[in-house]
Amino acid sequence: QVQLVESGGGSVQSGGSLRLSCAASGYIYYMGWFRQAPGKEREGVAAIDRYGSAEYADSVKGRFTISRDNTKNTLYLQMDSLKSEDTAMYYCAADQTWTSLRWPEGWDYLGRGTQVTVSS
């Protein structure tokens, strides 16, 4: 069983930046970020394998950057040029194999989330 703990959420004005972190309790091959706004379904944001190959949702391409430090079993999400529509609870997810950027689609583990609020 792998535990995932997110941190780094907060409140920021439109155009600002935040960096999320997710600490995993053990080795994980594939890690990703999902988000869920009130009244909406959970959606994939970005995911990355242990070799650094990443994919992004169209809505965040060019603004968000996913990365990981395998020596620390930690996942990051650098969020720049934030918009009000990015406001959501952000969750870290993990799987021991590749899976698609759709929830739940085989994702084995999910953190408790960290809130991101962007005000216009």
Side-chain angles (χ1 to χ4, degrees):
Q1 190 77 9
V2 174
Q3 306 297 322
L4 303 173
V5 180
E6 303 96 334
S7 61
S11 297
V12 64
Q13 289 191 332
S14 180
S17 299
L18 281 174
R19 188 192 195 206
L20 305 183
S21 299
C22 170
S25 61
Y27 167 78
I28 283 286
Y29 173 77
Y30 201 63
M31 301 184 77
W33 291 99
F34 288 79
R35 66 186 181 186
Q36 188 167 18
K40 295 188 177 181
E41 293 186 353
R42 189 169 294 159
E43 63 172 352
V45 176
I48 186 170
D49 68 16
R50 72 179 304 269
Y51 302 107
S53 180
E55 61 177 307
Y56 295 89
D58 288 343
S59 59
V60 305
K61 282 181 181 177
R63 300 189 299 121
F64 290 10
T65 303
I66 191 171
S67 62
R68 61 189 289 172
D69 185 336
N70 292 329
T71 64
K72 299 179 180 179
N73 291 329
T74 301
L75 177 72
Y76 303 100
L77 184 68
Q78 177 66 41
M79 305 185 294
D80 299 317
S81 302
L82 282 161
K83 306 175 181 180
S84 57
E85 50 262 46
D86 294 317
T87 295
M89 183 71 78
Y90 283 70
Y91 298 90
C92 175
D95 198 326
Q96 295 293 10
T97 63
W98 179 91
T99 187
S100 72
L101 200 56
R102 285 196 298 269
W103 187 264
E105 291 291 329
W107 291 91
D108 292 329
Y109 307 103
L110 186 71
R112 293 188 175 184
T114 185
Q115 178 67 38
V116 171
T117 302
V118 184
S119 57
S120 56

